[in-house]
Amino acid sequence: MVLIIEKTVAYMLMVLKSKVSISAYKNEFNAIHHGDYKEFLKLIKEPIPFMIKYQNGIITNEEENPNYDCDFEGLLKSGPSLKMFYTKCTSFYGKILDNDIPEDIYYKVVTFEIAIRMHANNNNLLNNSNRIELEKVIDILCCFKNISAIDNKKIHGARRFVNMIKHF
């Protein structure tokens, strides 16, 4: 199963790697790519799904509220907007094929970066700034989790692969 976030961001990474200009959707891509769900929702303007939340013993229901308490909530609220954005992008850019990297690797790349950013955000390590470079996010998270130098190096190796795709 592929998540809509994986499919959407993977497609945009393929567009980037193909050297096609992303200027038409640069703001939207940057917002969703960096986990700035509030900005992404504001740019796409699709309806936000109804959600019931339980937090600290309080049950609330929300409609059309772009705010969120954790990245996963922002991701869930972005579902309809992600679908619309994917449709717009595929209509604009068409079918993108990559003979070097299989599509499932793109999905894993997307999941890797989102997981790193979500984990750092949900531990309040990024001072509410989603636009921090992935290299710094990894360093901050590895320090917070006391991750060994060897594992830190492996994670940065994966980051270099992500950057190779973005800046092919």
Side-chain angles (χ1 to χ4, degrees):
M1 182 172 104
V2 176
L3 301 173
I4 188 63
I5 185 81
E6 291 171 322
K7 191 170 190 163
T8 304
V9 177
Y11 179 81
M12 287 306 295
L13 289 174
M14 287 188 269
V15 170
L16 276 173
K17 186 173 176 282
S18 72
K19 299 283 189 190
V20 175
S21 172
I22 64 159
S23 59
Y25 294 108
K26 185 174 177 48
N27 292 334
E28 294 88 341
F29 176 67
N30 284 337
I32 199 61
H33 180 252
H34 288 108
D36 190 348
Y37 302 105
K38 188 174 183 177
E39 178 66 15
F40 181 73
L41 288 166
K42 187 171 74 173
L43 290 166
I44 301 296
K45 299 179 181 150
E46 280 296 295
I48 298 171
F50 174 78
M51 182 176 283
I52 294 178
K53 292 176 22 177
Y54 175 84
Q55 185 176 22
N56 299 325
I58 299 170
I59 297 174
T60 59
N61 65 353
E62 297 184 342
E63 292 185 64
E64 302 299 318
N65 182 358
N67 297 317
Y68 54 92
D69 297 314
C70 68
D71 279 6
F72 188 70
E73 181 183 344
L75 182 57
L76 283 174
K77 288 181 175 182
S78 297
S81 294
L82 284 162
K83 289 177 184 175
M84 176 56 72
F85 182 56
Y86 179 75
T87 299
K88 285 181 178 180
C89 290
T90 55
S91 294
F92 187 83
Y93 296 109
K95 180 109 172 117
I96 303 287
L97 296 173
D98 187 336
N99 295 323
D100 301 321
I101 302 171
E103 197 170 43
D104 67 313
I105 297 298
Y106 278 99
Y107 298 149
K108 290 176 184 177
V109 162
V110 171
T111 304
F112 166 77
E113 184 164 359
I114 288 172
I116 295 284
R117 288 184 181 281
M118 276 188 167
H119 196 66
N121 282 336
N122 291 340
N123 282 288
N124 300 313
L125 302 177
L126 304 181
N127 299 323
N128 296 322
S129 174
N130 295 318
R131 301 297 173 107
I132 296 175
E133 296 294 321
L134 184 58
E135 181 175 8
K136 289 185 183 208
V137 175
I138 290 170
D139 287 339
I140 291 167
L141 186 59
C142 285
C143 182
F144 175 75
K145 288 294 198 177
N146 294 319
I147 292 176
S148 72
I150 293 169
D151 288 338
N152 183 307
K153 187 175 180 178
K154 288 178 186 176
I155 294 168
H156 275 292
R159 176 200 44 89
R160 283 190 286 283
F161 180 71
V162 171
N163 285 341
M164 182 278 305
I165 291 172
K166 290 187 220 172
H167 308 290
F168 188 71

